Amino acid sequence: MTANTKSPLQRLSALGQSVWVDYLSRELIHGGELQYLIDECAVVGATSNPTIFQKAMTGGGAYDEQLHELAARGKSAEASFWVLAEQDVSDACDVFRPIWERTSGRDGFVSLEVDPRLAYDTLGTFREAMRLHDAVERRNLFVKIPATKPGLGAIEDAIAKGRSINVTLIFSLRRYAQVAESYTRGIERLIAEGGDPRAVASVASFFVSRIDTEADRRLEEIGGHDELKGKLAVANAKLAYEHYQQAFAGPRWEFLAAKGAAPQRVLWASTSTKNPAYPDTKYVQELIGADTINTMPEETIKAYQDHGDPHPRLHEGLDEARRTFEQLRAAGVDYEGVTDTLEREGVEKFSGSFNDLLAALAAKQESLAPA
């Protein structure tokens, strides 16, 4: 196949950015659609979260038979959820295993999130991350840990124990710097204790579209400044990418790399466009750069395959990105207020989805039980 006949997502991948799908369900894995995404859309990994599992498990009947069986064995809705989720993620890991092997552990990962209600519990999060790695028992599993302040310690401790971690719910540049430091310190501890850093991978998941949603809402309240709307998320991502390049360079990192450590790549999450006034591929088109990942919902994958035009843009316009921060501050938008709000709301949203999911599974189990 010549370069001219490659699809937009294949061309994007050739620029050094990995495409992951931000969705997982039993039907996707076993109905052939996941394999189609791998074969035709250059997808080389998958992510999940409590909201994704809520949609997958409460719609349709793909889980009914196993739910009924688990209920008959006296399993609670929560215990049943973990059985279902761990099975789906294990099966997806098996589908992606050839990619993981072909890329020497760079791609081919599937992510499963710890109980989001543990987001402010360092020890609870660490123990849950270890439990999930033991339960799924796949080398291409990422356990997701939220980048709350208490989460940072759990991230470092899990990396130090040789576990691969997807750090999720990152919004601010300050918190991202702390995440990169937690990963680096975890790798240093692992090596100091005689562990093999080649067995460990990590990504830092920056949530993108929600930043514009919150900043735009604040600009609306202030009034005027329409020219600043839809600008903060991309500016934030570009400065995060700049920090990534700085954090994983220099003597400290070069020592770890010589031992086999891989940099913690940046992953762009929440890349579907929330504002219909913005292009539906905005958070793919503007965030293409080498050594990054974009995890896209299915509709964004389809949109980009249809009319994406990939060119590396992440390294461009850094001065303009910094000006955007200055202009928003001058307009009265508090950047730390935006990112703190989004982190808190992100934890609340995932915890709410998890509770709703457990309630829906309990109701489903009850409806499936014999009279």
Side-chain angles (χ1 to χ4, degrees):
M1 184 179 280
T2 65
N4 291 336
T5 59
K6 285 184 177 178
S7 73
L9 286 174
Q10 288 169 332
R11 299 203 310 274
L12 180 150
S13 298
L15 294 171
Q17 184 171 78
S18 299
V19 180
W20 292 5
V21 60
D22 192 25
Y23 184 66
L24 204 61
S25 74
R26 194 155 289 184
E27 289 171 311
L28 183 83
I29 297 163
H30 298 291
E33 192 175 352
L34 183 57
Q35 193 61 52
Y36 169 82
L37 291 171
I38 292 169
D39 294 340
E40 301 298 329
C41 302
V43 167
V44 291
T47 48
S48 67
N49 60 45
T51 303
I52 284 169
F53 274 124
Q54 181 193 12
K55 290 175 184 173
M57 291 183 182
T58 58
Y63 298 87
D64 287 3
E65 186 178 339
Q66 193 175 7
L67 267 176
H68 175 68
E69 176 196 319
L70 291 165
R73 286 163 45 198
K75 295 282 187 185
S76 67
E78 185 167 341
S80 296
F81 163 74
W82 287 112
V83 172
L84 299 174
E86 287 160 16
Q87 181 177 325
D88 280 2
V89 169
S90 298
D91 291 347
C93 282
D94 292 343
V95 173
F96 281 109
R97 178 75 186 220
I99 293 169
W100 182 83
E101 291 174 346
R102 190 180 73 237
T103 61
S104 302
R106 177 181 170 84
D107 284 304
F109 284 93
V110 182
S111 296
L112 175 61
E113 187 154 346
V114 298
D115 184 334
R117 298 170 300 184
L118 297 170
Y120 301 109
D121 177 351
T122 303
L123 183 59
T125 294
F126 169 74
R127 286 175 172 165
E128 181 73 349
M130 300 298 282
R131 184 191 74 76
L132 289 174
H133 265 293
D134 290 341
V136 174
E137 211 175 0
R138 300 292 191 280
R139 291 185 66 189
N140 57 328
L141 170 71
F142 269 141
V143 170
K144 290 173 91 169
I145 295 178
T148 57
K149 201 166 185 182
L152 295 170
I155 292 157
E156 181 182 329
D157 289 346
I159 294 294
K161 291 295 184 184
R163 305 296 192 169
S164 293
I165 300 297
N166 175 342
V167 184
T168 188
L169 286 178
I170 304 172
F171 295 96
S172 77
L173 296 170
R174 181 183 62 182
R175 184 53 50 83
Y176 169 54
Q178 293 170 334
V179 166
E181 176 65 18
S182 293
Y183 172 68
T184 303
R185 282 167 39 172
I187 290 289
E188 288 171 335
R189 286 170 53 193
L190 175 67
I191 291 171
E193 291 163 18
D196 183 2
R198 291 172 298 180
V200 184
S202 184
V203 295
S205 295
F206 241 90
F207 278 53
V208 182
S209 63
R210 295 186 199 180
I211 288 177
D212 276 343
T213 301
E214 179 65 18
D216 289 0
R217 185 188 68 76
R218 294 181 181 220
L219 286 168
E220 282 285 343
E221 286 181 354
I222 293 165
H225 305 291
D226 285 354
E227 75 284 356
L228 294 176
K229 289 179 182 175
K231 294 285 181 68
L232 181 57
V234 170
N236 199 45
K238 288 187 174 189
L239 296 183
Y241 185 59
E242 180 185 45
H243 183 82
Y244 158 77
Q245 293 176 311
Q246 294 166 350
F248 298 102
R252 182 188 182 192
W253 180 253
E254 285 164 9
F255 171 80
L256 303 178
K259 300 285 187 181
Q264 180 190 54
R265 285 192 292 166
V266 178
L267 178 151
W268 310 125
S270 183
T271 55
S272 61
T273 307
K274 306 295 188 288
N275 186 336
Y278 299 155
D280 56 1
T281 60
K282 174 179 173 69
Y283 302 114
V284 182
Q285 196 77 334
E286 298 190 43
L287 299 180
I288 298 170
D291 301 321
T292 59
I293 301 156
N294 197 311
T295 183
M296 312 177 201
E298 288 181 280
E299 63 269 20
T300 305
I301 287 175
K302 289 172 184 171
Y304 204 82
Q305 278 292 66
D306 181 64
H307 49 269
D309 180 25
H311 294 282
R313 296 180 174 92
L314 261 180
H315 63 287
E316 298 173 350
L318 291 174
D319 289 340
E320 185 184 344
R322 281 184 263 273
R323 272 196 304 276
T324 296
F325 273 70
E326 292 165 6
Q327 290 165 339
L328 283 161
R329 185 163 51 247
V333 175
D334 175 13
Y335 171 73
E336 283 76 19
V338 168
T339 56
D340 288 351
T341 295
L342 289 170
E343 181 183 296
R344 185 183 67 253
E345 288 180 349
V347 171
E348 289 171 357
K349 181 182 178 185
F350 282 166
S351 296
S353 290
F354 193 71
N355 287 327
D356 291 347
L357 168 59
L358 296 183
L361 288 182
K364 209 163 200 188
Q365 282 183 315
E366 195 172 322
S367 72
L368 291 167

